Amino acid sequence: MFHTILIANRGEIACRVATTARRLGVRTVAVYSDADAGSKHVALCDEAVHVGGAAARESYLVEDRIIAAAKATGAQAIHPGYGFLSENEDFAARCEKEGLVFIGPPASAISAMGLKSAAKALMEKAHVPLVPGYHGADQSPALLQSEAERIGFPVLIKASAGGGGKGMRVVEKTGDFAAALESCKREAINAFGDDAVLIEKYLTRPRHVEVQVFADTHGNCVYLFERDCSVQRRHQKVLEEAPAPGLSEARRKAMGEAAVAAAKAVGYVGAGTVEFIVEGDAFFFMEMNTRLQVEHPVTEMITGFDLVEWQLRVASGEKLPVSQGDLRITGHSLEARIYAENPEKGFLPSIGTLAHLRFPPHVAFARGGLPGEPAAVRVDSGVRPGDAITPNYDPMIAKLIVWGHDRAEALSRMSDALGGTQIVGLSTNVAFLKRLVESKPFSSGDVDTGLIARNHSALFPEGTPVSTETLALAAAALIARDVKQAGSDPWSHRDGFRPNSSWTRSLDFTSVPVKVVYGKAGYRLITPRADERFTFTASGEDLRVMLGSRPVSGTVVLAGESVHVFALGVETVLVLPDPGAHAGQDEGKGGLVAPMPGKIVALLAKAGATVVKGAPLLVMEAMKMEHTITAPADGLVASFLYRAGDQVAEGAALLEFTRA
Ligand code: ADP
Ligand code: ADP
Ligand code: MG
């Protein structure tokens, strides 16, 4: 086993690797950018080396600095995590040349699977089934169009070098092909520096089922069963589970063996994932991810093995600890990815500071499914309260992983775990994930990649009325704040001057008006639906309210004008309008401002053009995604304030628009 490894990553995965290394007695070296000096992964490692600026290309992606850091600290091996340099064959080869062990597959295997098109050609030879499509070298638009027609619409255009759900376009009909191809190539060159594409038949109701494989340097290769990652938004995974609901033993074995064949075909070593798309009884190879995957914990929970430990053992030359026949599935595991994003606004990433951050009771990095005591809830995260989610890196905040004896138990634990997760400071998908986990379509187990889109209205219900309990907690928190600020109860103080009267305070939340009457024996809460007495005790942000004879407890976080109430497993945000706060805000700009810092990619209209509502006007790229800014109404594009290639700040006005 190594005595020292360098972790060439940040955030959640760097913390994950550091924890296993520590358990194995391996010293860890962190690397960090200007933005991460005070971050959790740096604190967790034994030593840390600064490698450059906040942008990944100035730090985490600079091979020279990573290698130099490893040498300077006496590291024997480099763990690349995922993203960044993990699937970079040059980096893997470079490590080898410099006498450092790359904890991953050989460069030749990364290279063979690196381009989806080349990988598909290889798999065809290994008799692994493929989705009907075109993955040839000829990239002329006319040929691609005719191939799309041969395959039959709808088709999916994919960047060969793509990943992370980026660089994909679904095309419904022949007339849309040329424009989609152009936009796909533009995104591909920006994101991956390579605009080659392939075309696949677009399956309309498929499942994403992937197989975890593991190989050592002694010729052994096993599969650790499958994960179902069908529940996605924007072709990116949201919920992952193992085993896949409804998969028969025969199919599990067939897919596992196909995955092992794929790995063997490229001389694979270490942890890898072979992704299949499944429709009806058929399964097709999609791609192989030559690294540890974000959702590896669900496999750890059902098999009882620590895959990072296996990675370190295999990389240091040990044999796999078990053979295929020893592997068993125990129970069911589910992972939810908590992202800084706004599900209500098309899952647009959000940025900000984690002003308040609490996870449910959990065991970090535990493994489930072991004889004895399986850990029910595990949290993998790379952030601490007060940390910021910036546009520099991936907006994932944490992963919640649960284990249950069966799927129903896992789902119910996940729903509780999400209900116990509190995040204030930016938008997150926590409430959305909870609705999703509790929804009929998901709990029935009949999952496919269209589940979220198809159930949109059920997953985004109209606002439900705020409960009296929630309003009482909010009122109690505001009273507690006043008391704290005044040093004593300011209302009772005033009460002293007018002994026979009580004082009323109006809390005009934008969604519901509330009055609190202060009296001798406590408070009275008057809402449009209720009139009840209450008393409370507060300990920091945690409150216990006695409402009539009902005890209610919750956490209330006051953030500017917003009152965030976490109670009964849900968050309610109440807003106290501050009359001065919005002066001067120009409503007329509508969506014509940059939703976050980013780069202008293309202007899609001409200055002076008359456009109809919804017409695409401009494309910007932010957080590795393209966002199209559309006309908020029929009107005139008076002028653009930026050109393609310009960087823009969050909130910057992008163009001048006059409504017709
Ligand atoms: P999967 O591993 O399931 O295929 P992704 O493709 O979303 O899932 O995971 C890879 C992505 O993880 C990278 O493209 C990158 O955006 C992101 N990533 C890289 N490093 C980190 C990190 N330290 N923490 C969280 N996400 C990261
Ligand atoms: P990435 O490298 O971004 O992970 P993949 O090729 O693995 O790209 O595809 C990502 C997701 O896109 C899949 O999980 C699936 O939801 C969807 N997808 C991919 N190929 C197809 C297809 N041929 N038909 C329908 N959906 C597809
Ligand atoms: Mg994929």
Side-chain angles (χ1 to χ4, degrees):
M1 182 49 65
F2 308 113
H3 57 69
T4 305
I5 62 166
L6 178 135
I7 304 171
N9 213 302
R10 63 179 304 280
E12 169 266 316
I13 185 61
C15 295
R16 164 76 190 85
V17 173
T19 304
T20 288
R22 163 151 305 178
R23 186 169 61 72
L24 298 177
V26 175
R27 237 180 103 243
T28 50
V29 179
V31 291
Y32 64 95
S33 70
D34 287 346
D36 284 338
S39 70
K40 184 174 166 186
H41 81 277
V42 169
L44 265 182
C45 289
D46 298 305
E47 198 176 335
V49 181
H50 174 248
V51 287
R57 74 189 126 68
E58 293 170 11
S59 48
Y60 298 106
L61 291 173
V62 183
E63 299 181 19
D64 287 342
R65 304 234 179 105
I66 304 286
I67 302 267
K71 294 199 151 171
T73 54
Q76 298 160 292
I78 297 184
H79 195 302
Y82 35 71
F84 297 145
L85 296 169
S86 62
E87 292 179 280
N88 184 318
E89 67 215 57
D90 297 329
F91 181 69
R94 173 90 190 270
C95 287
E96 208 174 313
K97 222 174 66 198
E98 305 271 359
L100 292 158
V101 177
F102 176 79
I103 304 175
S108 56
I110 301 180
S111 151
M113 291 295 187
L115 288 179
K116 292 185 204 292
S117 48
K120 289 181 81 172
L122 221 115
M123 291 303 110
E124 209 163 19
K125 281 201 200 124
H127 304 291
V128 179
L130 300 183
V131 196
Y134 170 79
H135 49 264
D138 188 339
Q139 292 284 310
S140 77
L143 176 95
L144 293 171
Q145 172 110 30
S146 78
E147 283 296 327
E149 270 151 33
R150 176 185 63 78
I151 297 161
F153 289 92
V155 298
L156 183 62
I157 309 176
K158 276 189 195 176
S160 277
K166 287 145 213 151
M168 288 201 268
R169 294 290 183 281
V170 181
V171 191
E172 300 288 347
K173 53 184 194 296
T174 187
D176 298 342
F177 188 83
L181 179 64
E182 198 176 311
S183 115
C184 185
K185 280 181 171 287
R186 190 172 55 224
E187 188 172 302
I189 198 92
N190 271 328
F192 315 110
D194 177 350
D195 71 352
V197 299
L198 57 89
I199 303 172
E200 285 179 2
K201 175 85 193 156
Y202 184 67
L203 306 177
T204 47
R205 217 164 157 161
R207 286 169 69 173
H208 172 120
V209 180
E210 58 185 35
V211 177
Q212 176 72 55
V213 294
F214 230 107
D216 64 19
T217 49
H218 304 270
N220 305 302
C221 183
V222 299
Y223 61 90
L224 291 102
F225 314 108
E226 77 285 355
R227 297 183 284 257
D228 190 310
C229 314
S230 299
V231 182
Q232 304 181 344
R233 50 111 184 76
R234 259 197 264 108
H235 303 302
Q236 273 184 298
K237 299 157 186 168
V238 175
L239 289 177
E240 298 111 339
E241 60 184 306
L247 193 76
S248 71
E249 272 310 318
R251 177 85 66 80
R252 172 165 299 126
K253 188 159 182 282
M255 292 181 76
E257 285 169 1
V260 167
K264 285 191 165 159
V266 296
Y268 204 78
V269 174
T273 296
V274 181
E275 297 190 331
F276 295 101
I277 193 149
V278 176
E279 199 172 54
D281 278 334
F283 63 89
F284 308 104
F285 171 87
M286 240 183 334
E287 65 164 343
M288 179 167 187
N289 292 326
T290 53
R291 53 172 163 89
L292 193 70
Q293 202 108 334
V294 174
E295 58 275 22
H296 75 277
V298 295
T299 301
E300 299 183 317
M301 295 295 248
I302 62 154
T303 59
F305 292 107
D306 178 334
L307 298 190
V308 173
E309 175 179 345
W310 280 29
Q311 285 190 297
L312 298 183
R313 292 197 183 286
V314 163
S316 60
E318 293 181 29
K319 282 190 179 158
L320 287 178
V322 298
S323 53
Q324 192 65 53
D326 304 327
L327 287 159
R328 296 271 175 284
I329 296 177
T330 307
H332 200 95
S333 180
L334 192 65
E335 172 180 285
R337 297 190 189 193
I338 299 180
Y339 280 112
E341 66 180 16
N342 193 333
E344 280 72 23
K345 289 189 187 156
F347 299 98
L348 199 69
S350 74
I351 51 176
T353 298
L354 299 160
H356 174 88
L357 174 70
R358 270 195 216 168
F359 293 117
H362 63 276
V363 184
F365 305 103
R367 290 159 286 159
L370 289 170
E373 206 171 320
V377 180
R378 154 175 167 180
V379 177
D380 283 14
S381 99
V383 290
R384 297 176 294 194
D387 287 350
I389 301 293
T390 70
N392 291 316
Y393 313 111
D394 195 273
M396 192 165 77
I397 299 171
K399 306 185 298 202
L400 287 188
I401 305 114
V402 301
W403 182 92
H405 292 89
D406 55 23
R407 189 172 190 266
E409 188 179 49
L411 260 61
S412 127
R413 283 183 176 166
M414 181 57 88
S415 157
D416 289 349
L418 287 163
T421 302
Q422 303 178 347
I423 302 174
V424 175
L426 36 68
S427 311
T428 75
N429 61 344
V430 171
F432 170 76
L433 287 169
K434 190 160 188 283
R435 293 194 298 271
L436 185 59
V437 168
E438 291 167 357
S439 72
K440 253 271 165 46
F442 182 71
S443 60
S444 74
D446 185 18
V447 292
D448 68 82
T449 61
L451 188 142
I452 290 178
R454 198 168 50 247
N455 295 287
H456 197 272
S457 53
L459 293 171
F460 292 94
E462 291 297 314
T464 41
V466 181
S467 71
T468 310
E469 285 78 1
T470 296
L471 293 171
L473 282 163
L478 291 165
I479 295 168
R481 177 177 66 180
D482 286 353
V483 170
K484 203 170 154 209
Q485 281 173 354
S488 66
D489 188 336
W491 294 359
S492 67
H493 213 74
R494 277 178 242 155
D495 203 38
F497 291 97
R498 303 178 64 180
N500 299 321
S501 120
S502 56
W503 286 85
T504 299
R505 177 175 171 180
S506 295
L507 302 174
D508 290 319
F509 297 121
T510 46
S511 48
V512 44
V514 172
K515 281 193 190 344
V516 178
V517 182
Y518 177 81
K520 281 268 176 295
Y523 306 94
R524 220 176 105 201
L525 180 79
I526 305 170
T527 78
R529 297 192 306 166
D531 181 343
E532 290 194 74
R533 296 195 173 278
F534 72 100
T535 56
F536 71 90
T537 56
S539 156
E541 288 162 329
D542 298 318
L543 293 125
R544 288 167 161 281
V545 171
M546 184 58 83
L547 181 64
S549 56
R550 304 184 319 276
V552 194
S553 57
T555 305
V556 182
V557 180
L558 305 174
E561 301 143 49
S562 314
V563 181
H564 300 254
V565 183
F566 296 93
L568 306 165
V570 293
E571 177 188 10
T572 307
V573 184
L574 297 161
V575 179
L576 276 173
D578 171 351
H582 292 294
Q585 181 172 318
D586 185 357
E587 290 293 335
K589 277 193 190 125
L592 302 179
V593 295
M596 60 192 61
K599 193 172 92 181
I600 305 297
V601 176
L603 306 181
L604 301 179
K606 290 216 159 39
T610 306
V611 295
V612 296
K613 180 175 177 177
L617 302 180
L618 171 156
V619 179
M620 66 174 287
E621 189 211 72
M623 298 185 86
K624 296 194 221 142
M625 271 177 50
E626 283 197 356
H627 305 284
T628 302
I629 307 287
T630 57
D634 292 358
L636 172 81
V637 179
S639 68
F640 283 102
L641 303 173
Y642 292 93
R643 281 182 303 200
D646 287 351
Q647 282 299 135
V648 294
E650 182 186 0
L654 298 171
L655 53 108
E656 287 178 342
F657 186 83
T658 320
R659 283 161 195 266

